Amino acid sequence: MKILIVGGGMGGTIVANNLARRIGTEVRAGKAQITMLSASDRHMYQPGLLYTSIGRLAPDELYRDQRSLLEPEIEFHVDPVETFDLDNNRVVTKSGKTHSYDQLVIATGSRAAPETIPGLAENSVNCYTEAAALEMLRQVRDFKGGTVAVVVGVPHKCPMIPLEVTFVLHDYFKDKGIADKVQFQYTYPIGRLHALAPVADWAKGEFARLGINTTTLFNMKEVDGNKIVHSEEGETVDADLLISVPPHRGMEVIEKNEMGANGFIPTDRLSLRMEGRDNVYIVGDTTNLPISKAGSTAHFEAETVAENLAALIKFGTTVRDYDGKVFCFIEAGKERATYAMFDYNNPPAPKAPNKAVHWFKMAYNQLYWASARGLL
Amino acid sequence: MSERKIIDARGTYCPGPLMELIAAMKQAEVGDELEILSTDEGSVNDVPEWINKVGHEMVGTTQEGDVWHIVVRKAK
């Protein structure tokens, strides 16, 4: 069986490694083949960008060599896919090579798209790419005082970022000794401070304690050159430093191949198969599922897909469904954190933040690499 | 008007039904109807609150078992 994995991020890497451990014998015997196609020879730890944007994690610490993360049974090529020919079970890459498959996994991810809101790219900073995080660091470092506004587009990757970036910047300016010169204006698309009601309730108390102003039901329409953000709901927010969580889209290759609106592929919420396709699995941000676009989502989905692909070889059938599991750390400042864990049937019930969870998050910043290898 | 778009947000907590609706509304054309399926009773109030504030139209809300079907129309 030829298994082709498109995308070398968190989801694709865990699928490949988890699968290689399960079917290593079959691969070595020539009965199965695992191939990964990626756009890059490097693997980025994306959550680290928040720390890079305040100077706490150097850019080179965000990356590992992708080949070094993969089990030896995995054939790896830096050669991104340009054409998906799903009817004929094959893809064509940028270099012009054709790869056929029996089972296909698509884990190409998503990207921040500030250009989809007029004026947002020119007038705000964010921490979704290395270049953006370094620009954010420059503007944050040079900020002398005024209003810091946080604006949030939908959908977006990492649902905790709006709160985390607010708490982290609050502590940054406090440490810098200019907290009395900085006002925070936090905005959020729905009628509370976070999608998760218990997290929103907790944040409400924290923001009141810290003197952070809030505006809810605020969806960006456009940003003018004076850093005034106009909302779809007819309100405005002024900023001296505008921190954005831009709306996201799937990758262009998905849009160009007309596989899903905005680059998000219609996916069955339990089997994780692409709708209408029995041998195409979708993992991570690439799905159109209404669940968190987060590394943990990709991780848990990847484990499900890897187990099912191995089961197709060993049992001739898949053996389990994805249960909707998501786990998110929530940094509540520079030294406290909590977490939210939930699935399709169990709502989250986050505990009060503490130092222990913060230090575990710090440890996870390194443990991530074990996770990507499929060891954790 | 195109075919009514269904957004199945049953059993999802984050980003949740309203955020999914906001994202879908951006892609819709004026006059399109969207139907959101939610198991969160809060959606019965959250969705009309946003729809009314931004100036779209509520079409109706029905309950089937523990699932609420909330239909809205893009008005601008």
Side-chain angles (χ1 to χ4, degrees):
Chain A
M1 177 181 287
K2 294 171 79 172
I3 299 165
L4 180 63
I5 300 165
V6 178
M10 179 72 163
T13 302
I14 291 179
V15 169
N17 283 327
N18 190 307
L19 186 59
R21 288 206 175 79
R22 292 175 185 273
I23 63 167
T25 302
E26 286 83 354
V27 173
R28 287 188 291 277
K31 294 177 181 172
Q33 182 182 337
I34 307 171
T35 304
M36 172 181 282
L37 301 174
S38 177
S40 173
D41 62 351
R42 296 194 302 170
H43 185 118
M44 175 192 268
Y45 174 55
Q46 296 181 54
L49 288 165
L50 172 65
Y51 304 94
T52 301
S53 72
I54 54 167
R56 282 168 54 186
L57 195 64
D60 61 344
E61 295 178 78
L62 297 169
Y63 297 98
R64 293 285 187 279
D65 174 68
Q66 175 66 10
R67 177 67 260 183
S68 75
L69 298 174
L70 297 174
E71 290 293 304
E73 292 87 355
I74 300 162
E75 186 181 318
F76 175 60
H77 301 284
V78 180
D79 194 7
V81 170
E82 294 204 332
T83 303
F84 287 91
D85 183 1
L86 302 182
D87 289 338
N88 293 300
N89 294 336
R90 66 189 183 193
V91 302
V92 180
T93 65
K94 186 177 181 181
S95 73
K97 289 182 181 158
T98 297
H99 293 261
S100 61
Y101 59 81
D102 298 302
Q103 301 288 332
L104 174 66
V105 179
I106 305 176
T108 43
S110 68
R111 63 196 161 96
E115 69 278 6
T116 57
I117 304 281
L120 186 64
E122 302 88 328
N123 296 295
S124 72
V125 290
N126 69 73
C127 57
Y128 278 100
T129 65
E130 180 187 329
L134 292 173
E135 175 59 20
M136 180 168 157
L137 171 62
R138 189 187 69 75
Q139 292 197 25
V140 165
R141 185 196 61 205
D142 294 346
F143 192 59
K144 299 291 190 286
T147 298
V148 178
V150 177
V151 288
V152 180
V154 291
H156 58 263
K157 179 157 44 183
C158 188
M160 299 306 169
I161 271 287
L163 292 175
E164 288 186 321
V165 75
T166 306
F167 286 126
V168 165
L169 286 178
H170 183 275
D171 277 6
Y172 180 92
F173 293 126
K174 185 179 169 187
D175 285 352
K176 203 174 171 185
I178 61 168
D180 60 331
K181 296 186 178 68
V182 178
Q183 300 82 45
F184 275 87
Q185 177 65 54
Y186 176 91
T187 72
Y188 203 67
I190 63 173
R192 54 180 182 252
L193 300 180
H194 190 263
L196 296 172
V199 174
D201 290 342
W202 162 75
K204 190 175 180 182
E206 292 289 301
F207 279 6
R209 183 175 67 80
L210 298 172
I212 294 170
N213 299 316
T214 63
T215 302
T216 56
L217 291 174
F218 190 94
N219 289 279
M220 290 179 278
K221 183 178 182 184
E222 60 182 344
V223 185
D224 70 27
N226 295 316
K227 290 189 171 65
I228 300 173
V229 187
H230 301 263
S231 79
E232 298 279 358
E233 293 80 8
E235 296 183 272
T236 58
V237 160
D238 296 18
D240 298 298
L241 174 61
L242 185 59
I243 308 293
S244 67
V245 177
H248 278 57
R249 299 175 80 103
M251 291 310 190
E252 285 180 348
V253 65
I254 305 299
E255 293 190 69
K256 283 180 180 171
N257 282 268
E258 299 181 344
M259 293 162 69
N262 286 338
F264 300 118
I265 300 175
T267 304
D268 182 87
R269 57 162 43 198
L270 299 176
S271 71
L272 299 177
R273 286 189 176 109
M274 180 177 178
E275 288 183 5
R277 299 280 172 181
D278 288 338
N279 66 337
V280 182
Y281 291 83
I282 315 299
V283 169
D285 290 359
T286 316
T287 78
N288 74 336
L289 295 176
I291 58 177
S292 306
K293 295 196 179 304
S296 72
T297 308
H299 182 144
F300 297 125
E301 289 176 345
E303 289 182 343
T304 304
V305 168
E307 185 173 348
N308 281 334
L309 288 171
L312 284 174
I313 293 172
K314 294 174 183 287
F315 294 92
T317 180
T318 58
V319 290
R320 75 172 169 114
D321 289 334
Y322 174 57
D323 62 2
K325 187 176 178 184
V326 178
F327 177 102
C328 290
F329 285 105
I330 310 170
E331 287 280 26
K334 66 176 182 178
E335 58 182 19
R336 294 186 309 138
T338 182
Y339 65 89
M341 186 164 66
F342 47 95
D343 58 39
Y344 289 145
N345 298 309
N346 297 288
K351 307 286 193 297
N354 60 50
K355 287 188 178 180
V357 178
H358 168 72
W359 286 112
F360 185 70
K361 174 67 192 294
M362 291 296 101
Y364 184 78
N365 287 343
Q366 299 304 319
L367 286 171
Y368 172 83
W369 302 109
S371 187
R373 289 185 177 97
L375 298 171
L376 182 67
Chain B
M1 188 187 77
S2 60
E3 187 179 345
R4 180 184 289 176
K5 178 180 170 61
I6 307 286
I7 305 161
D8 186 355
R10 292 174 296 165
T12 64
Y13 305 99
C14 183
L18 178 53
M19 208 100 86
E20 289 297 327
L21 176 63
I22 292 170
M25 193 67 92
K26 284 192 172 189
Q27 308 309 317
E29 303 290 334
V30 172
D32 284 356
E33 287 189 357
L34 293 86
E35 177 175 352
I36 188 145
L37 312 187
S38 174
T39 46
D40 176 3
E41 189 173 3
S43 299
V44 176
N45 296 318
D46 291 350
V47 172
E49 182 187 16
W50 179 70
I51 288 291
N52 292 330
K53 183 167 185 179
V54 80
H56 296 307
E57 294 172 17
M58 284 296 300
V59 176
T61 301
T62 56
Q63 184 180 359
E64 291 179 16
D66 60 356
V67 180
W68 280 267
H69 297 247
I70 305 168
V71 182
V72 303
R73 184 181 297 118
K74 182 161 180 163
K76 64 178 192 178

